[in-house]
């Protein structure tokens, strides 16, 4: 039974990672779209920062900020 418990924990961890990665990819695609459609840097920054505030997952907050920084810098 030990393997079954260990396997379930590993499955849960991988499922969580997949979920987080999907959120990160979705955010990056949204930032990409905002960047393409913004007519000014100010507009882009305003919309991108507003989008960042919509994501409430503290586990990926730093990653999302890094994605936004990539587009800003």
């Amino acid at each position: 039974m030990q393997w079954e418990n260990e396997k379930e924990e590993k499955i849960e961890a991988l499922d969580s990672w997949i979920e987080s990665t999907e959120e990160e990819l979705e955010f990056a695609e949204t930032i990409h779209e905002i960047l393409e459609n913004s007519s000014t840097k100010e507009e882009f920054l305003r919309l991108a920062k507003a989008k960042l505030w919509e994501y409430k997952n503290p586990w990926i907050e730093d990653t999302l900020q890094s994605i936004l920084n990539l587009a800003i810098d």
Side-chain angles (χ1 to χ4, degrees):
M1 196 59 155
Q2 183 180 358
W3 169 240
E4 289 301 318
N5 291 338
E6 186 178 340
K7 185 169 82 169
E8 187 60 35
E9 288 176 9
K10 292 178 184 304
I11 288 170
E12 287 176 12
L14 287 170
D15 286 346
S16 178
W17 182 85
I18 290 167
E19 221 174 88
S20 294
T21 303
E22 287 173 348
E23 274 188 274
E24 292 166 7
L25 181 57
E26 177 186 297
F27 180 74
E29 289 172 343
T30 300
I31 295 302
H32 184 275
E33 184 178 326
I34 291 170
L35 183 57
E36 283 187 326
N37 295 322
S38 294
S39 57
T40 66
K41 184 175 184 175
E42 291 75 23
E43 178 185 22
F44 166 70
L45 291 173
R46 181 177 49 79
L47 294 172
K49 287 178 182 179
K51 182 54 71 175
L52 179 61
W53 285 107
E54 290 179 21
Y55 286 81
K56 302 295 183 200
N57 186 339
W59 298 105
I60 62 170
E61 185 177 327
D62 290 341
T63 303
L64 298 183
Q65 184 65 57
S66 294
I67 292 168
L68 182 56
N69 289 344
L70 177 67
I72 291 173
D73 292 339

